[in-house]
Amino acid sequence: MNFDFSEDAKAVREHASRFLRERVPSGAVRKHIESGAAYDKALWSEIAEMGWLGATIPEAFGGSAMGYETACVLAEEIGAVVAPVPFGPSLYLASEALLAFGSDAQKRTWLPLLASGEKIGCFAIADGEGDPAPENVRAHVVGGKLTCEKFPVPNAEGTDVAIVVARREAGGVGLFIAPLDGHGVERVTLRGLDVANPQVALRLVDTPVEPLAGGQDWAAVTKLLDRAAILFAFEQIGGARAALDMAVTYAKSRYAFGRPIGSFQAVKHKLADMYVAIEIARSNAYFGAWALERDAAELPLAAATARTAASEAYQFAAKENIQVHGGMGFTWESDCHLYYTRAKALALAIGSVRHWKRALMTRLDQRNEAADGF
């Protein structure tokens, strides 16, 4: 079975890679951080004009309908430059939630705004510590209104609408849409690792919310997270690949004892280990992209596999990149720390690696039981 991408998706990758490297060169993210802005508004407008924000959204709802393969390659290139934009929360989670579970009216109201970049979405599931699980959801909708504090919420500082996971009045857990420009909304920026894409504590007090009609059980939340996991995996692979490229370039140019440090066996092994981890993650992510494009039965297993492998590969590559750079790798002037902090933040964005490993083991057991006829 061939899991490679289409020629159209590859062409989009080439264009996106060229554009982002010109638009977000080395040092650009650090300048953005120093500016104190929530996200790069100019870059956000540019990628919206190219149709990236509507890649998975049908044309009937204002999207560009490029498909999930294209969304995957765009995610990878966004990750490769650690772009300071809320691409993941808005596209992988908010748009996906509306597409999968929103009513026709909700789709027609919100999807064109998200696809155009006029509105930005975020996803609020965490009620403090704890991985995604029904028992960890404390927010409770009463009378169509929500009073709670959701934290941490990634990339929510400049967003306009939140998809919130909360308890229903009738029991159980569901997905709700909450406009963030109305009554009872307060945002407090948290001091997190990834200052280029800050997290917030989202406080809602009697804020009107609307249920996503098809997303009123935990199975819907799980499905949304599975789909987002594959897209996040590609963003993580893009970052890991860039960290490896940085390490290789530095190892070729940095001399010690009259030789490039890349000629020393210890450094060679570090680079080789990074490459192997990334390629393992890439193979799993490509299988995930195949399953996502087709909404295949294998998608839950593919999502857990891709998410686990990509999270581990990115964190490993980002850490080893700093080690290869030595003392330079710890300085603000180097870009190494940007990839390290982004790797840590993405690894927790929709549940920890431990959570996804448990999901992977559970799904493997279920598949094996089904194959054995139990």
Side-chain angles (χ1 to χ4, degrees), residues 86-105:
F87 192 73
S90 197
L91 180 64
Y92 317 160
L93 289 162
S95 292
E96 276 300 301
L98 284 159
L99 274 172
F101 308 113
S103 66
D104 188 68

PDB file of all heavy atoms in Angstrom, residues 86-105:
ATOM      1  N   PRO A  86      -1.578  30.938  15.569  1.00  0.00           N
ATOM      2  CA  PRO A  86      -2.411  29.884  16.188  1.00  0.00           C
ATOM      3  C   PRO A  86      -2.990  28.919  15.151  1.00  0.00           C
ATOM      4  O   PRO A  86      -4.187  28.648  15.121  1.00  0.00           O
ATOM      5  CB  PRO A  86      -3.503  30.692  16.887  1.00  0.00           C
ATOM      6  CG  PRO A  86      -3.646  31.917  16.047  1.00  0.00           C
ATOM      7  CD  PRO A  86      -2.274  32.242  15.536  1.00  0.00           C
ATOM      8  N   PHE A  87      -2.137  28.396  14.288  1.00  0.00           N
ATOM      9  CA  PHE A  87      -2.566  27.554  13.176  1.00  0.00           C
ATOM     10  C   PHE A  87      -3.239  26.278  13.679  1.00  0.00           C
ATOM     11  O   PHE A  87      -4.328  25.925  13.222  1.00  0.00           O
ATOM     12  CB  PHE A  87      -1.354  27.207  12.308  1.00  0.00           C
ATOM     13  CG  PHE A  87      -1.695  26.585  10.985  1.00  0.00           C
ATOM     14  CD1 PHE A  87      -2.233  27.347   9.966  1.00  0.00           C
ATOM     15  CD2 PHE A  87      -1.445  25.246  10.747  1.00  0.00           C
ATOM     16  CE1 PHE A  87      -2.531  26.785   8.727  1.00  0.00           C
ATOM     17  CE2 PHE A  87      -1.738  24.670   9.523  1.00  0.00           C
ATOM     18  CZ  PHE A  87      -2.282  25.438   8.501  1.00  0.00           C
ATOM     19  N   GLY A  88      -2.601  25.579  14.611  1.00  0.00           N
ATOM     20  CA  GLY A  88      -3.137  24.313  15.090  1.00  0.00           C
ATOM     21  C   GLY A  88      -4.477  24.423  15.791  1.00  0.00           C
ATOM     22  O   GLY A  88      -5.449  23.768  15.389  1.00  0.00           O
ATOM     23  N   PRO A  89      -4.590  25.237  16.838  1.00  0.00           N
ATOM     24  CA  PRO A  89      -5.874  25.328  17.543  1.00  0.00           C
ATOM     25  C   PRO A  89      -7.028  25.763  16.656  1.00  0.00           C
ATOM     26  O   PRO A  89      -8.144  25.280  16.795  1.00  0.00           O
ATOM     27  CB  PRO A  89      -5.589  26.365  18.635  1.00  0.00           C
ATOM     28  CG  PRO A  89      -4.128  26.244  18.890  1.00  0.00           C
ATOM     29  CD  PRO A  89      -3.522  25.959  17.544  1.00  0.00           C
ATOM     30  N   SER A  90      -6.766  26.671  15.703  1.00  0.00           N
ATOM     31  CA  SER A  90      -7.849  27.173  14.866  1.00  0.00           C
ATOM     32  C   SER A  90      -8.235  26.174  13.782  1.00  0.00           C
ATOM     33  O   SER A  90      -9.422  25.928  13.546  1.00  0.00           O
ATOM     34  CB  SER A  90      -7.455  28.513  14.229  1.00  0.00           C
ATOM     35  OG  SER A  90      -8.591  29.196  13.745  1.00  0.00           O
ATOM     36  N   LEU A  91      -7.226  25.565  13.121  1.00  0.00           N
ATOM     37  CA  LEU A  91      -7.512  24.664  12.001  1.00  0.00           C
ATOM     38  C   LEU A  91      -7.753  23.233  12.454  1.00  0.00           C
ATOM     39  O   LEU A  91      -8.753  22.605  12.082  1.00  0.00           O
ATOM     40  CB  LEU A  91      -6.368  24.700  10.992  1.00  0.00           C
ATOM     41  CG  LEU A  91      -6.535  23.797   9.765  1.00  0.00           C
ATOM     42  CD1 LEU A  91      -7.732  24.239   8.934  1.00  0.00           C
ATOM     43  CD2 LEU A  91      -5.278  23.804   8.909  1.00  0.00           C
ATOM     44  N   TYR A  92      -6.828  22.681  13.264  1.00  0.00           N
ATOM     45  CA  TYR A  92      -6.922  21.264  13.627  1.00  0.00           C
ATOM     46  C   TYR A  92      -8.061  20.979  14.606  1.00  0.00           C
ATOM     47  O   TYR A  92      -8.558  19.854  14.654  1.00  0.00           O
ATOM     48  CB  TYR A  92      -5.645  20.753  14.297  1.00  0.00           C
ATOM     49  CG  TYR A  92      -4.325  21.148  13.722  1.00  0.00           C
ATOM     50  CD1 TYR A  92      -3.175  21.059  14.512  1.00  0.00           C
ATOM     51  CD2 TYR A  92      -4.178  21.605  12.412  1.00  0.00           C
ATOM     52  CE1 TYR A  92      -1.935  21.407  14.024  1.00  0.00           C
ATOM     53  CE2 TYR A  92      -2.934  21.961  11.928  1.00  0.00           C
ATOM     54  CZ  TYR A  92      -1.805  21.865  12.738  1.00  0.00           C
ATOM     55  OH  TYR A  92      -0.572  22.224  12.265  1.00  0.00           O
ATOM     56  N   LEU A  93      -8.435  21.986  15.417  1.00  0.00           N
ATOM     57  CA  LEU A  93      -9.391  21.734  16.494  1.00  0.00           C
ATOM     58  C   LEU A  93     -10.710  22.490  16.321  1.00  0.00           C
ATOM     59  O   LEU A  93     -11.770  21.875  16.243  1.00  0.00           O
ATOM     60  CB  LEU A  93      -8.743  22.067  17.838  1.00  0.00           C
ATOM     61  CG  LEU A  93      -7.648  21.072  18.264  1.00  0.00           C
ATOM     62  CD1 LEU A  93      -6.749  21.664  19.333  1.00  0.00           C
ATOM     63  CD2 LEU A  93      -8.275  19.773  18.762  1.00  0.00           C
ATOM     64  N   ALA A  94     -10.665  23.816  16.245  1.00  0.00           N
ATOM     65  CA  ALA A  94     -11.916  24.575  16.148  1.00  0.00           C
ATOM     66  C   ALA A  94     -12.650  24.281  14.845  1.00  0.00           C
ATOM     67  O   ALA A  94     -13.850  23.950  14.843  1.00  0.00           O
ATOM     68  CB  ALA A  94     -11.629  26.069  16.286  1.00  0.00           C
ATOM     69  N   SER A  95     -11.949  24.388  13.727  1.00  0.00           N
ATOM     70  CA  SER A  95     -12.586  24.109  12.435  1.00  0.00           C
ATOM     71  C   SER A  95     -13.030  22.658  12.332  1.00  0.00           C
ATOM     72  O   SER A  95     -14.126  22.356  11.836  1.00  0.00           O
ATOM     73  CB  SER A  95     -11.632  24.451  11.286  1.00  0.00           C
ATOM     74  OG  SER A  95     -11.405  25.841  11.200  1.00  0.00           O
ATOM     75  N   GLU A  96     -12.173  21.750  12.812  1.00  0.00           N
ATOM     76  CA  GLU A  96     -12.504  20.321  12.740  1.00  0.00           C
ATOM     77  C   GLU A  96     -13.724  19.995  13.587  1.00  0.00           C
ATOM     78  O   GLU A  96     -14.560  19.170  13.200  1.00  0.00           O
ATOM     79  CB  GLU A  96     -11.305  19.484  13.198  1.00  0.00           C
ATOM     80  CG  GLU A  96     -10.284  19.237  12.125  1.00  0.00           C
ATOM     81  CD  GLU A  96     -10.859  18.495  10.926  1.00  0.00           C
ATOM     82  OE1 GLU A  96     -11.375  17.374  11.099  1.00  0.00           O
ATOM     83  OE2 GLU A  96     -10.810  19.049   9.814  1.00  0.00           O
ATOM     84  N   ALA A  97     -13.840  20.617  14.755  1.00  0.00           N
ATOM     85  CA  ALA A  97     -14.999  20.366  15.618  1.00  0.00           C
ATOM     86  C   ALA A  97     -16.287  20.802  14.922  1.00  0.00           C
ATOM     87  O   ALA A  97     -17.294  20.088  14.948  1.00  0.00           O
ATOM     88  CB  ALA A  97     -14.832  21.110  16.943  1.00  0.00           C
ATOM     89  N   LEU A  98     -16.253  21.964  14.309  1.00  0.00           N
ATOM     90  CA  LEU A  98     -17.440  22.460  13.605  1.00  0.00           C
ATOM     91  C   LEU A  98     -17.765  21.592  12.397  1.00  0.00           C
ATOM     92  O   LEU A  98     -18.932  21.282  12.132  1.00  0.00           O
ATOM     93  CB  LEU A  98     -17.220  23.901  13.181  1.00  0.00           C
ATOM     94  CG  LEU A  98     -17.349  24.926  14.310  1.00  0.00           C
ATOM     95  CD1 LEU A  98     -16.629  26.217  13.963  1.00  0.00           C
ATOM     96  CD2 LEU A  98     -18.828  25.207  14.605  1.00  0.00           C
ATOM     97  N   LEU A  99     -16.734  21.193  11.658  1.00  0.00           N
ATOM     98  CA  LEU A  99     -16.958  20.346  10.488  1.00  0.00           C
ATOM     99  C   LEU A  99     -17.585  19.017  10.863  1.00  0.00           C
ATOM    100  O   LEU A  99     -18.520  18.535  10.218  1.00  0.00           O
ATOM    101  CB  LEU A  99     -15.628  20.090   9.768  1.00  0.00           C
ATOM    102  CG  LEU A  99     -15.174  21.124   8.745  1.00  0.00           C
ATOM    103  CD1 LEU A  99     -13.758  20.811   8.288  1.00  0.00           C
ATOM    104  CD2 LEU A  99     -16.122  21.155   7.564  1.00  0.00           C
ATOM    105  N   ALA A 100     -17.062  18.409  11.916  1.00  0.00           N
ATOM    106  CA  ALA A 100     -17.503  17.064  12.288  1.00  0.00           C
ATOM    107  C   ALA A 100     -18.823  17.055  13.043  1.00  0.00           C
ATOM    108  O   ALA A 100     -19.630  16.132  12.876  1.00  0.00           O
ATOM    109  CB  ALA A 100     -16.415  16.378  13.124  1.00  0.00           C
ATOM    110  N   PHE A 101     -19.069  18.086  13.858  1.00  0.00           N
ATOM    111  CA  PHE A 101     -20.186  18.005  14.801  1.00  0.00           C
ATOM    112  C   PHE A 101     -21.138  19.201  14.781  1.00  0.00           C
ATOM    113  O   PHE A 101     -22.170  19.178  15.448  1.00  0.00           O
ATOM    114  CB  PHE A 101     -19.651  17.827  16.222  1.00  0.00           C
ATOM    115  CG  PHE A 101     -18.676  16.696  16.353  1.00  0.00           C
ATOM    116  CD1 PHE A 101     -17.344  16.926  16.639  1.00  0.00           C
ATOM    117  CD2 PHE A 101     -19.096  15.385  16.148  1.00  0.00           C
ATOM    118  CE1 PHE A 101     -16.438  15.877  16.744  1.00  0.00           C
ATOM    119  CE2 PHE A 101     -18.204  14.337  16.247  1.00  0.00           C
ATOM    120  CZ  PHE A 101     -16.864  14.576  16.541  1.00  0.00           C
ATOM    121  N   GLY A 102     -20.797  20.252  14.063  1.00  0.00           N
ATOM    122  CA  GLY A 102     -21.650  21.429  14.046  1.00  0.00           C
ATOM    123  C   GLY A 102     -22.901  21.238  13.200  1.00  0.00           C
ATOM    124  O   GLY A 102     -22.932  20.438  12.261  1.00  0.00           O
ATOM    125  N   SER A 103     -23.945  21.983  13.538  1.00  0.00           N
ATOM    126  CA  SER A 103     -25.144  22.000  12.706  1.00  0.00           C
ATOM    127  C   SER A 103     -24.852  22.782  11.431  1.00  0.00           C
ATOM    128  O   SER A 103     -23.830  23.483  11.329  1.00  0.00           O
ATOM    129  CB  SER A 103     -26.297  22.664  13.463  1.00  0.00           C
ATOM    130  OG  SER A 103     -26.005  24.040  13.682  1.00  0.00           O
ATOM    131  N   ASP A 104     -25.740  22.699  10.483  1.00  0.00           N
ATOM    132  CA  ASP A 104     -25.541  23.437   9.238  1.00  0.00           C
ATOM    133  C   ASP A 104     -25.469  24.937   9.518  1.00  0.00           C
ATOM    134  O   ASP A 104     -24.644  25.643   8.929  1.00  0.00           O
ATOM    135  CB  ASP A 104     -26.680  23.125   8.260  1.00  0.00           C
ATOM    136  CG  ASP A 104     -26.430  23.713   6.888  1.00  0.00           C
ATOM    137  OD1 ASP A 104     -25.502  23.241   6.204  1.00  0.00           O
ATOM    138  OD2 ASP A 104     -27.145  24.663   6.507  1.00  0.00           O
ATOM    139  N   ALA A 105     -26.313  25.422  10.412  1.00  0.00           N
ATOM    140  CA  ALA A 105     -26.304  26.849  10.750  1.00  0.00           C
ATOM    141  C   ALA A 105     -24.986  27.247  11.411  1.00  0.00           C
ATOM    142  O   ALA A 105     -24.426  28.317  11.124  1.00  0.00           O
ATOM    143  CB  ALA A 105     -27.480  27.175  11.664  1.00  0.00           C
TER     144      ALA A 105
END
